[in-house]
Every structure is written in structure tokens, then in C-alpha cells.
Amino acid sequence: MIVEDPLYGSFEVEEVLKALLLSKEMERLKDVHMAGPAFLINPFWNETRYEHSVGVMLLIRKLGGSLEEQVAGLLHDVSHTAFSHVIDLALANKQDDYHEQIKEQIIEESAIPAILKQFGFDYQQILFNDAQWQLLEQEAPLLCCDRIDYTLREIHRYFSVPLQEIQQFLTAINIVDEKIVLESSEWAIWFMDQYKKIVIDFFYDPRNICSYEWMAKAIQLGLESQDITPQDLLLTDSAFLMRLQASNSIEILQLLTNMSQPLKYSICSSEDNYDIWQKKKIRFVDPLVQTIDRTVPVSTLSTIAQTKIENLLNDSKTGIFLKFH
């Protein structure tokens, strides 16, 4: 099976990866959007969990990761609910990790264990401890394939960063002691700038914020009225939206209607009479850089990097206040 990706190129993958890619669990992710309900306001924001999951798998492969780590990368988001992280806002889960909380249960009840057993793999050993996979996951502010893939994918699609520039960045990656290290401070600062575009400019775009606010409220109301159930959250975005649209709740239907109408808003401050305040999980990066004799965070080499981190943290701690007109 040949898997193609605009960022990383074409790869012929093993039978176990083919079987997983064709599974209904992975198929569902083709209709679970990375930006959650924001694509209902802006259809251009249409990246899916499937694209990202395949990308993480291929990036791990490109960087020399084992087949087991590629499997873990492919399946790392398989338990995401409809509209991705909107459930975390609905449940006031500040860690943004609801999908991690339910991951073992979702996998145990799926076809994934049987597929992996068929090819001689221990699904529990591979899938229930992502911390063992140094390329797939690293605690912030280090880089990892998960963090790199969604950043590169979204800056290309949403901010028109050229593929050539992205591919030049990929050649600047080295693996040192199983960690992702960049060959220069310049490339580290480049990635910091790209990451800010995603976690500040994109995540805090008012259309993104409003869509999350309204969908989270609709989910809260739907669960309270039992118009939807927690099991419904494991549907695709389209199927879950149809469940909400079938509700008799005028308030739920109005919240959904809001996302199909032009937004009229202004960004204000905490001192104003605001309608929405949202502060997302704080995310920043401080990539490791290779020096002559060691690897160090770029912030220890560059005052520019230090300032960029401080500015991003200040923006993140403030959040965004919106007022409708």
C-alpha cells in the first residue's frame, strides 16, 4: 500500500499499517476535524484527525522510528470525540485530554486489538504508554512528531507557508539521544514563529473561539436534556451534528444557527462588558539545538527566542474577550 502526503512524500507501508489505515476506527477520523466546529463557520479549516494521524506516522517513519512507534503514532488520536477538543471546553477540562482519558476503553472495545494481534503485536504494550515513544510524544516545550505535524500541516494550509520552506525545515531535524534536535538557532526560531501562528493566531481567531463556545454549550445542553449521550460523541462530526440538529431544544438549535451566520464582534478587554472570554491550554515550544558539544534549548542561546517565549506566554495567559454587536 502506498501512502502519500503533501508534506512528507510517498511511502510504501507494511501490511499491519495498511490494515489499520483501512479500519473503521481510522475511517471515522476522516470526519473528525482538527479545528473542531470551526469548519462550520469557515469551511476552509477542514484538516482532519485522519490526515494528522497519517502525517504523524509518516514523520516518525521519516525520522527512523520503529514500526511499533509508527503504529502508536497512527493511532494516537483514535479516541478523539466528535469536534475534537470541544468536549474539553464542554466539560471544563483544562488539561485538554479527554481523549486520553477514554483511550484505553475505546481501543479495548474496537477492532484494533484483533488487527494488531493478527500481525503479532501486543496492542497494550504499544498503545497504552505513549511516553515510551520519544519521537511521537515529548512534554512541552520540546518538539515531537505530534506537535511538529499539526504545526507544519496547518501553517501550509491556513497560512500559505510554502511546501519548499517546510521541507527545508525537515532537513534541519536530527535525532540525538532519541530526541528531536534542530541544526541551528535560526531553524528553531523559525519553528517558534510558525507555532505561534497556530496556538495564538489560529486558535484565538474569533471565529474559532465562537464556534467552540457555541458547540460546547450545545453539547452541555444536549447531555443535560439527554438529546445526546456520551456514546454519541464517538460518532463522526457529521453524524453527531445531525443528532444535535434533531433536538427539540430551541436553545441548541439557535447555537447551531449562530455558526451559519456572519459574525459581528469586537475584541475587548476584561474591563469591558464582554460576551465571551476564553483561555486555552498554554502551549509553547523551546526547541533543542545542536551545538558543538551538546544539545540545549534555543532560549539559552538566543535572547530573541527568550522574548518570543515571553510574549507567547503573556498572550496565552490573557486569553481573548469578545463582544457581539
PDB file of all heavy atoms in Angstrom, residues 191-202 308 311-312 315:
ATOM      1  N   PHE A 191      10.666  27.746  13.682  1.00  0.00           N
ATOM      2  CA  PHE A 191       9.562  26.902  14.135  1.00  0.00           C
ATOM      3  C   PHE A 191       8.763  27.590  15.242  1.00  0.00           C
ATOM      4  O   PHE A 191       7.534  27.473  15.278  1.00  0.00           O
ATOM      5  CB  PHE A 191      10.066  25.543  14.634  1.00  0.00           C
ATOM      6  CG  PHE A 191       8.942  24.585  14.891  1.00  0.00           C
ATOM      7  CD1 PHE A 191       8.399  23.840  13.856  1.00  0.00           C
ATOM      8  CD2 PHE A 191       8.390  24.455  16.157  1.00  0.00           C
ATOM      9  CE1 PHE A 191       7.318  22.977  14.075  1.00  0.00           C
ATOM     10  CE2 PHE A 191       7.319  23.595  16.394  1.00  0.00           C
ATOM     11  CZ  PHE A 191       6.786  22.861  15.350  1.00  0.00           C
ATOM     12  N   MET A 192       9.421  28.303  16.123  1.00  0.00           N
ATOM     13  CA  MET A 192       8.692  29.040  17.170  1.00  0.00           C
ATOM     14  C   MET A 192       7.706  30.022  16.548  1.00  0.00           C
ATOM     15  O   MET A 192       6.571  30.159  17.012  1.00  0.00           O
ATOM     16  CB  MET A 192       9.688  29.783  18.067  1.00  0.00           C
ATOM     17  CG  MET A 192      10.572  28.873  18.890  1.00  0.00           C
ATOM     18  SD  MET A 192      11.870  29.788  19.775  1.00  0.00           S
ATOM     19  CE  MET A 192      10.895  30.531  21.081  1.00  0.00           C
ATOM     20  N   ASP A 193       8.134  30.702  15.492  1.00  0.00           N
ATOM     21  CA  ASP A 193       7.250  31.653  14.809  1.00  0.00           C
ATOM     22  C   ASP A 193       6.054  30.942  14.181  1.00  0.00           C
ATOM     23  O   ASP A 193       4.921  31.440  14.225  1.00  0.00           O
ATOM     24  CB  ASP A 193       8.016  32.407  13.725  1.00  0.00           C
ATOM     25  CG  ASP A 193       9.006  33.419  14.297  1.00  0.00           C
ATOM     26  OD1 ASP A 193       8.835  33.820  15.460  1.00  0.00           O
ATOM     27  OD2 ASP A 193       9.945  33.800  13.575  1.00  0.00           O
ATOM     28  N   GLN A 194       6.295  29.765  13.588  1.00  0.00           N
ATOM     29  CA  GLN A 194       5.208  29.017  12.964  1.00  0.00           C
ATOM     30  C   GLN A 194       4.235  28.492  14.032  1.00  0.00           C
ATOM     31  O   GLN A 194       3.016  28.504  13.836  1.00  0.00           O
ATOM     32  CB  GLN A 194       5.762  27.844  12.143  1.00  0.00           C
ATOM     33  CG  GLN A 194       6.850  28.189  11.159  1.00  0.00           C
ATOM     34  CD  GLN A 194       6.542  29.417  10.318  1.00  0.00           C
ATOM     35  OE1 GLN A 194       5.457  29.570   9.770  1.00  0.00           O
ATOM     36  NE2 GLN A 194       7.525  30.316  10.208  1.00  0.00           N
ATOM     37  N   TYR A 195       4.786  28.035  15.140  1.00  0.00           N
ATOM     38  CA  TYR A 195       3.951  27.506  16.222  1.00  0.00           C
ATOM     39  C   TYR A 195       3.038  28.593  16.783  1.00  0.00           C
ATOM     40  O   TYR A 195       1.869  28.342  17.093  1.00  0.00           O
ATOM     41  CB  TYR A 195       4.848  26.934  17.321  1.00  0.00           C
ATOM     42  CG  TYR A 195       4.127  26.046  18.307  1.00  0.00           C
ATOM     43  CD1 TYR A 195       3.629  24.805  17.924  1.00  0.00           C
ATOM     44  CD2 TYR A 195       3.961  26.437  19.628  1.00  0.00           C
ATOM     45  CE1 TYR A 195       2.976  23.976  18.828  1.00  0.00           C
ATOM     46  CE2 TYR A 195       3.325  25.631  20.547  1.00  0.00           C
ATOM     47  CZ  TYR A 195       2.830  24.392  20.135  1.00  0.00           C
ATOM     48  OH  TYR A 195       2.173  23.577  21.039  1.00  0.00           O
ATOM     49  N   LYS A 196       3.549  29.814  16.886  1.00  0.00           N
ATOM     50  CA  LYS A 196       2.725  30.929  17.372  1.00  0.00           C
ATOM     51  C   LYS A 196       1.556  31.191  16.424  1.00  0.00           C
ATOM     52  O   LYS A 196       0.446  31.535  16.873  1.00  0.00           O
ATOM     53  CB  LYS A 196       3.571  32.195  17.518  1.00  0.00           C
ATOM     54  CG  LYS A 196       2.749  33.414  17.957  1.00  0.00           C
ATOM     55  CD  LYS A 196       3.585  34.667  18.017  1.00  0.00           C
ATOM     56  CE  LYS A 196       2.738  35.868  18.411  1.00  0.00           C
ATOM     57  NZ  LYS A 196       1.727  36.223  17.393  1.00  0.00           N
ATOM     58  N   LYS A 197       1.790  31.047  15.124  1.00  0.00           N
ATOM     59  CA  LYS A 197       0.687  31.233  14.183  1.00  0.00           C
ATOM     60  C   LYS A 197      -0.478  30.306  14.498  1.00  0.00           C
ATOM     61  O   LYS A 197      -1.646  30.676  14.338  1.00  0.00           O
ATOM     62  CB  LYS A 197       1.166  30.971  12.748  1.00  0.00           C
ATOM     63  CG  LYS A 197       2.128  32.002  12.190  1.00  0.00           C
ATOM     64  CD  LYS A 197       2.636  31.594  10.807  1.00  0.00           C
ATOM     65  CE  LYS A 197       3.670  32.561  10.285  1.00  0.00           C
ATOM     66  NZ  LYS A 197       4.254  32.127   9.002  1.00  0.00           N
ATOM     67  N   ILE A 198      -0.153  29.090  14.958  1.00  0.00           N
ATOM     68  CA  ILE A 198      -1.204  28.112  15.248  1.00  0.00           C
ATOM     69  C   ILE A 198      -1.833  28.358  16.612  1.00  0.00           C
ATOM     70  O   ILE A 198      -3.053  28.498  16.720  1.00  0.00           O
ATOM     71  CB  ILE A 198      -0.645  26.673  15.158  1.00  0.00           C
ATOM     72  CG1 ILE A 198      -0.043  26.422  13.770  1.00  0.00           C
ATOM     73  CG2 ILE A 198      -1.740  25.653  15.472  1.00  0.00           C
ATOM     74  CD1 ILE A 198      -0.967  26.705  12.615  1.00  0.00           C
ATOM     75  N   VAL A 199      -1.011  28.411  17.665  1.00  0.00           N
ATOM     76  CA  VAL A 199      -1.569  28.412  19.016  1.00  0.00           C
ATOM     77  C   VAL A 199      -2.098  29.776  19.456  1.00  0.00           C
ATOM     78  O   VAL A 199      -2.867  29.856  20.414  1.00  0.00           O
ATOM     79  CB  VAL A 199      -0.560  27.867  20.049  1.00  0.00           C
ATOM     80  CG1 VAL A 199      -0.149  26.450  19.690  1.00  0.00           C
ATOM     81  CG2 VAL A 199       0.660  28.767  20.188  1.00  0.00           C
ATOM     82  N   ILE A 200      -1.709  30.833  18.756  1.00  0.00           N
ATOM     83  CA  ILE A 200      -2.251  32.163  19.069  1.00  0.00           C
ATOM     84  C   ILE A 200      -3.124  32.677  17.923  1.00  0.00           C
ATOM     85  O   ILE A 200      -4.326  32.867  18.074  1.00  0.00           O
ATOM     86  CB  ILE A 200      -1.124  33.175  19.382  1.00  0.00           C
ATOM     87  CG1 ILE A 200      -0.308  32.710  20.599  1.00  0.00           C
ATOM     88  CG2 ILE A 200      -1.726  34.565  19.631  1.00  0.00           C
ATOM     89  CD1 ILE A 200      -1.080  32.630  21.899  1.00  0.00           C
ATOM     90  N   ASP A 201      -2.526  32.874  16.748  1.00  0.00           N
ATOM     91  CA  ASP A 201      -3.264  33.497  15.641  1.00  0.00           C
ATOM     92  C   ASP A 201      -4.453  32.644  15.197  1.00  0.00           C
ATOM     93  O   ASP A 201      -5.527  33.192  14.898  1.00  0.00           O
ATOM     94  CB  ASP A 201      -2.328  33.741  14.454  1.00  0.00           C
ATOM     95  CG  ASP A 201      -1.148  34.634  14.811  1.00  0.00           C
ATOM     96  OD1 ASP A 201      -1.211  35.301  15.860  1.00  0.00           O
ATOM     97  OD2 ASP A 201      -0.160  34.648  14.064  1.00  0.00           O
ATOM     98  N   PHE A 202      -4.268  31.325  15.130  1.00  0.00           N
ATOM     99  CA  PHE A 202      -5.336  30.442  14.673  1.00  0.00           C
ATOM    100  C   PHE A 202      -6.267  30.030  15.807  1.00  0.00           C
ATOM    101  O   PHE A 202      -7.486  30.205  15.729  1.00  0.00           O
ATOM    102  CB  PHE A 202      -4.749  29.215  13.991  1.00  0.00           C
ATOM    103  CG  PHE A 202      -5.778  28.234  13.504  1.00  0.00           C
ATOM    104  CD1 PHE A 202      -6.802  28.628  12.655  1.00  0.00           C
ATOM    105  CD2 PHE A 202      -5.720  26.900  13.892  1.00  0.00           C
ATOM    106  CE1 PHE A 202      -7.764  27.727  12.210  1.00  0.00           C
ATOM    107  CE2 PHE A 202      -6.671  25.990  13.446  1.00  0.00           C
ATOM    108  CZ  PHE A 202      -7.686  26.405  12.607  1.00  0.00           C
ATOM    109  N   LYS A 308      10.447  35.831  22.446  1.00  0.00           N
ATOM    110  CA  LYS A 308       9.303  35.224  21.765  1.00  0.00           C
ATOM    111  C   LYS A 308       8.508  34.327  22.728  1.00  0.00           C
ATOM    112  O   LYS A 308       7.271  34.320  22.698  1.00  0.00           O
ATOM    113  CB  LYS A 308       9.774  34.431  20.545  1.00  0.00           C
ATOM    114  CG  LYS A 308      10.227  35.295  19.379  1.00  0.00           C
ATOM    115  CD  LYS A 308      10.688  34.454  18.199  1.00  0.00           C
ATOM    116  CE  LYS A 308      11.179  35.341  17.055  1.00  0.00           C
ATOM    117  NZ  LYS A 308      10.099  36.150  16.443  1.00  0.00           N
ATOM    118  N   ASN A 311       6.538  36.578  25.151  1.00  0.00           N
ATOM    119  CA  ASN A 311       5.382  37.203  24.502  1.00  0.00           C
ATOM    120  C   ASN A 311       4.256  36.193  24.287  1.00  0.00           C
ATOM    121  O   ASN A 311       3.072  36.508  24.506  1.00  0.00           O
ATOM    122  CB  ASN A 311       5.796  37.812  23.160  1.00  0.00           C
ATOM    123  CG  ASN A 311       6.699  39.022  23.328  1.00  0.00           C
ATOM    124  OD1 ASN A 311       6.745  39.633  24.399  1.00  0.00           O
ATOM    125  ND2 ASN A 311       7.423  39.376  22.279  1.00  0.00           N
ATOM    126  N   LEU A 312       4.614  34.990  23.868  1.00  0.00           N
ATOM    127  CA  LEU A 312       3.590  33.968  23.647  1.00  0.00           C
ATOM    128  C   LEU A 312       2.904  33.591  24.953  1.00  0.00           C
ATOM    129  O   LEU A 312       1.677  33.448  25.007  1.00  0.00           O
ATOM    130  CB  LEU A 312       4.218  32.737  22.995  1.00  0.00           C
ATOM    131  CG  LEU A 312       3.242  31.652  22.522  1.00  0.00           C
ATOM    132  CD1 LEU A 312       3.779  30.941  21.287  1.00  0.00           C
ATOM    133  CD2 LEU A 312       2.958  30.623  23.604  1.00  0.00           C
ATOM    134  N   ASP A 315       0.465  36.333  25.941  1.00  0.00           N
ATOM    135  CA  ASP A 315      -0.747  36.252  25.128  1.00  0.00           C
ATOM    136  C   ASP A 315      -1.640  35.102  25.591  1.00  0.00           C
ATOM    137  O   ASP A 315      -2.867  35.237  25.678  1.00  0.00           O
ATOM    138  CB  ASP A 315      -0.396  36.053  23.651  1.00  0.00           C
ATOM    139  CG  ASP A 315       0.219  37.293  23.018  1.00  0.00           C
ATOM    140  OD1 ASP A 315       0.057  38.385  23.603  1.00  0.00           O
ATOM    141  OD2 ASP A 315       0.856  37.167  21.965  1.00  0.00           O
TER     142      ASP A 315
END
